[in-house]
Amino acid sequence: MASSLLNGERAVVLLFIAPILHATPLSLLPEALSLSLLALFALVIEVFADSSPNSQLAQFKTRRGASSGILLGAVTLPCLMISRLIQLLRALSLHEIGVQDLEYLRLQYWATFACGFNVLGFLGYRLWQLPNNIQPISVRTTWDVKFIFSCLALCGTVYCVLFATKYHIGWSAALKLLWVLSQGLATVKLIQHVVHNFPFCASIGEALLVTGGLVIYFGDMFALTFAKIHGYLSQSELTYVQYGIKRSEISIIIQGMVLGLLLFPIFLKLILPIWECFTTSEYSNGRAYHEIGKSVMFYASLASVLIVIVPLWMQIVQTFHVHPLLWVIDFIVSEPFKRLSLCIYWVAVILVSVRRFYNISKNSKIERILLRKYYHLMAVLMFLPALIFQPKFLDLAFGAALAVFLVLEIIRVWRIWPLGQLVHQFMNAFTDHRDSDLLIVSHFSLLLGCALPIWMSSGFNDRPLAPFAGILSLGIGDTMASMVGHKYGVLRWSKTGKKTVEGTAAGITSVLVACSVLLPLLATTGYIFTQHWFSLLLAVTVSGLLEAYTAQLDNAFIPLVFYSLLCL
């Protein structure tokens, strides 16, 4: 019974949660208790889902070949938030941040908790019903259903009590609770939208991680806008500061561009039917003109969003003395030799690598999983020098790369002339079983896996290796594990899996070697040499085991797990 309850992935997830709970101080006791209840509830839902008939899980249209991943998807972001809270408590004791920064992140934790909790409640309800939502599964599952809803009621009650202990009862606390619960409900609606419109593109855990992260990101943008407007209306900068959401120009530019591009397909979906009503032609060459007109309309709309609408929001929430795009150009040319040289280096690496790997993918019999690992090594070559010597410029470059990826994916999905079909053919050369014809996400997960630890470390950071979490875990650890395991692996972690003990050992060892080289180098470049080797060893081991056991998209989870443990 215990072996079926705790498979490899679940055991590693619990091994990930345990040190975070152990390191949590008493001042964060409500957060620690809520995380424990959330993990228990997620474990119950996952066990119930995995033991249900296949027809039960079919209603969610998840990615084929992947486990549900509910436990991992539900706890990753809350664990990350608590880890950041622990780090900010250290900064607060050193008077390097204000109380408002800590309180805002604490509110974000509760929003993250609400996102996971509401989705788990939704999953429990859907799993309890048949696909036609008429009758319960069977009499046999009555006690399972009662247990799930008992956990749901207990977790919800404890959540409200713990939230009330942190925020004194009143209008302010009621508004904060409403704000937190609204983000939880938004996550439920968004995950329903993702599952319905992008079937078989993600597991439940992956969809939960993505939708929860997007809702928190959108919520942060809304709070930032509200705080700035409220500050204008009250003529007080203190109203803005009390939210603890001061941002740099680079973070505002990235946030505006990313969210503008994510909302752009909705805008495009609204205007395309209107366009087609006015461009219907009965001539034989009408379709060609229609495609050209559609393409012109697409690029004109995209330009208006990126040049007018998104910069207008940036000007509202941040003081830019020039147009944000002109600010970017001025930022790049402020150190022309270093930054332009870095751009030339990146372009050269990309052109040589992509051309070489694309030809190999078409003419060679090398397994595609190994071919994709070369891109992980390319990420190390590109990002590691920039992170050491030009971290702010790398922040901006990640945002630009993510914007380009989003634009190309929109063009590919909508088949926008003349690039749509070309981009589709090129990207298909690097896809594997985790991608689909509808969405190709591997390059997004690799880019974000490297970028998120860097973006999250842009404020206070007393752990110099934390920004390198994505580069180390994906570029070095994951790559070495795959290559060594494929070539020399004999002992497998499970009978059905492909991951080997030799590959995992190689991945863990390679990351530790890279860290032993990086730490002295970082000390000589001005970083504070305060990395604790025990937390480093724990982070490397747990992320290595997660890579060995998880059936989820490891590029998305491993960097966040590695980063969370490094911050302890």
Side-chain angles (χ1 to χ4, degrees):
M1 179 64 181
S3 60
S4 61
L5 189 64
L6 280 182
N7 57 27
E9 180 177 303
R10 296 170 193 162
V12 175
V13 173
L14 296 181
L15 187 62
F16 163 53
I17 299 173
I20 293 178
L21 294 177
H22 181 265
T24 304
L26 289 177
S27 59
L28 297 177
L29 183 60
E31 285 79 7
L33 290 176
S34 63
L35 175 61
S36 302
L37 287 173
L38 184 70
L40 177 62
F41 188 31
L43 178 62
V44 171
I45 293 293
E46 180 174 300
V47 171
F48 183 68
D50 291 345
S51 61
S52 299
N54 292 332
S55 59
Q56 278 299 112
L57 291 178
Q59 61 182 304
F60 297 110
K61 299 179 181 179
T62 58
R63 178 164 57 86
R64 295 183 177 92
S67 60
S68 64
I70 295 174
L71 176 61
L72 180 60
V75 303
T76 298
L77 288 180
C79 284
L80 175 64
M81 291 292 182
I82 289 186
S83 182
R84 286 289 291 156
L85 282 170
I86 295 172
Q87 192 178 34
L88 289 189
L89 279 175
R90 296 197 299 267
L92 185 64
S93 65
L94 297 174
H95 306 288
E96 298 187 7
I97 63 167
V99 178
Q100 69 276 2
D101 298 298
L102 181 67
E103 290 302 316
Y104 182 70
L105 185 61
R106 180 171 288 176
L107 189 63
Q108 279 196 316
Y109 165 78
W110 287 107
T112 306
F113 173 87
C115 293
F117 172 72
N118 284 25
V119 171
L120 290 175
F122 163 73
L123 292 175
Y125 176 73
R126 292 295 299 270
L127 286 170
W128 171 58
Q129 295 181 320
L130 281 172
N132 58 11
N133 297 322
I134 296 178
Q135 294 178 342
I137 299 172
S138 66
V139 180
R140 181 183 61 84
T141 61
T142 301
W143 288 105
D144 294 333
V145 172
K146 290 181 178 179
F147 183 68
I148 286 178
F149 283 97
S150 298
C151 290
L152 176 64
L154 175 64
C155 194
T157 303
V158 174
Y159 159 60
C160 293
V161 171
L162 292 177
F163 189 88
T165 61
K166 299 304 297 184
Y167 301 99
H168 300 292
I169 298 176
W171 283 109
S172 177
L175 288 176
K176 289 178 179 177
L177 181 61
L178 180 62
W179 170 246
V180 166
L181 292 178
S182 65
Q183 294 191 67
L185 294 176
T187 307
V188 173
K189 297 300 293 184
L190 184 58
I191 200 171
Q192 288 179 281
H193 175 80
V194 168
V195 170
H196 179 264
N197 291 280
F198 304 102
F200 312 112
C201 290
S203 68
I204 299 175
E206 293 163 359
L208 176 53
L209 177 71
V210 172
T211 54
L214 287 177
V215 167
I216 296 300
Y217 204 45
F218 272 94
D220 179 76
M221 180 180 181
F222 181 82
L224 181 61
T225 308
F226 171 79
K228 192 65 175 182
I229 294 176
H230 190 226
Y232 281 138
L233 295 177
S234 63
Q235 298 297 318
S236 172
E237 185 70 13
L238 293 177
T239 307
Y240 179 50
V241 173
Q242 71 179 353
Y243 287 88
I245 47 179
K246 282 283 190 178
R247 297 288 185 271
S248 67
E249 290 86 353
I250 292 177
S251 63
I252 291 296
I253 289 173
I254 294 173
Q255 192 169 27
M257 284 292 180
V258 170
L259 295 182
L261 288 172
L262 288 174
L263 293 175
F264 177 69
I266 301 176
F267 172 71
L268 190 64
K269 195 172 183 179
L270 293 176
I271 63 175
L272 270 182
I274 301 175
W275 170 265
E276 291 177 353
C277 288
F278 289 98
T279 57
T280 303
S281 175
E282 297 180 357
Y283 295 103
S284 58
N285 60 349
R287 180 172 178 82
Y289 286 113
H290 173 73
E291 289 298 322
I292 296 175
K294 176 183 174 182
S295 175
V296 172
M297 183 273 301
F298 170 84
Y299 291 114
S301 303
L302 181 63
S304 65
V305 169
L306 297 182
I307 298 176
V308 179
I309 299 176
V310 169
L312 181 62
W313 174 81
M314 297 176 188
Q315 295 279 10
I316 293 175
V317 299
Q318 188 80 14
T319 303
F320 287 92
H321 299 293
V322 295
H323 192 280
L325 294 181
L326 295 178
W327 186 94
V328 171
I329 296 174
D330 183 66
F331 175 77
I332 295 174
V333 299
S334 61
E335 295 184 20
F337 178 75
K338 294 180 180 179
R339 291 169 182 169
L340 292 178
S341 299
L342 195 57
C343 289
I344 295 173
Y345 168 70
W346 285 341
V347 171
V349 171
I350 291 173
L351 290 179
V352 173
S353 301
V354 170
R355 182 176 180 180
R356 175 62 177 167
F357 299 156
Y358 184 68
N359 291 332
I360 292 176
S361 68
K362 293 194 303 181
N363 304 321
S364 176
K365 296 182 179 180
I366 297 178
E367 287 195 22
R368 192 159 291 185
I369 185 63
L370 293 180
L371 182 64
R372 288 155 59 96
K373 299 306 175 184
Y374 289 117
Y375 280 96
H376 290 218
L377 292 177
M378 187 180 75
V380 176
L381 292 176
M382 293 178 60
F383 304 146
L384 191 60
L387 181 54
I388 296 175
F389 299 108
Q390 284 288 322
K392 291 184 178 180
F393 182 60
L394 182 60
D395 286 349
L396 185 63
F398 273 132
L402 182 58
V404 171
F405 281 179
L406 286 171
V407 171
L408 290 178
E409 186 65 9
I410 294 172
I411 290 174
R412 188 193 68 84
V413 171
W414 289 79
R415 295 294 198 272
I416 302 298
W417 180 88
L419 299 177
Q421 188 61 30
L422 294 176
V423 173
H424 179 71
Q425 292 175 354
F426 178 80
M427 294 303 300
N428 272 344
F430 304 102
T431 58
D432 65 3
H433 63 282
R434 293 173 294 189
D435 294 306
S436 67
D437 289 335
L438 191 57
L439 280 182
I440 299 177
V441 298
S442 297
H443 55 304
F444 285 103
S445 63
L446 176 59
L447 180 70
L448 288 174
C450 295
L452 287 177
I454 299 172
W455 286 342
M456 290 185 291
S457 300
S458 58
F460 170 80
N461 180 43
D462 61 345
R463 296 291 185 262
L465 287 178
F468 296 85
I471 299 174
L472 290 172
S473 60
L474 297 181
I476 297 177
D478 187 32
T479 302
M480 293 300 297
S482 295
M483 290 184 172
V484 173
H486 181 266
K487 190 170 184 178
Y488 303 105
V490 176
L491 301 175
R492 301 190 182 278
W493 284 106
S494 63
K495 295 180 179 179
T496 57
K498 297 181 179 180
K499 304 298 178 64
T500 64
V501 176
E502 294 85 353
T504 302
I508 293 174
T509 304
S510 62
V511 174
L512 289 175
V513 171
C515 292
S516 65
V517 175
L518 263 179
L519 280 174
L521 180 61
L522 294 176
T524 60
T525 55
Y527 284 77
I528 302 174
F529 192 88
T530 57
Q531 188 69 49
H532 296 279
W533 278 97
F534 178 75
S535 63
L536 173 61
L537 181 61
L538 179 66
V540 173
T541 303
V542 172
S543 59
L545 291 175
L546 182 62
E547 191 276 335
Y549 276 111
T550 186
Q552 309 302 304
L553 188 61
D554 48 9
N555 289 0
F557 289 99
I558 291 177
L560 299 180
V561 170
F562 193 28
Y563 178 86
S564 301
L565 295 176
L566 281 178
C567 289
L568 297 181

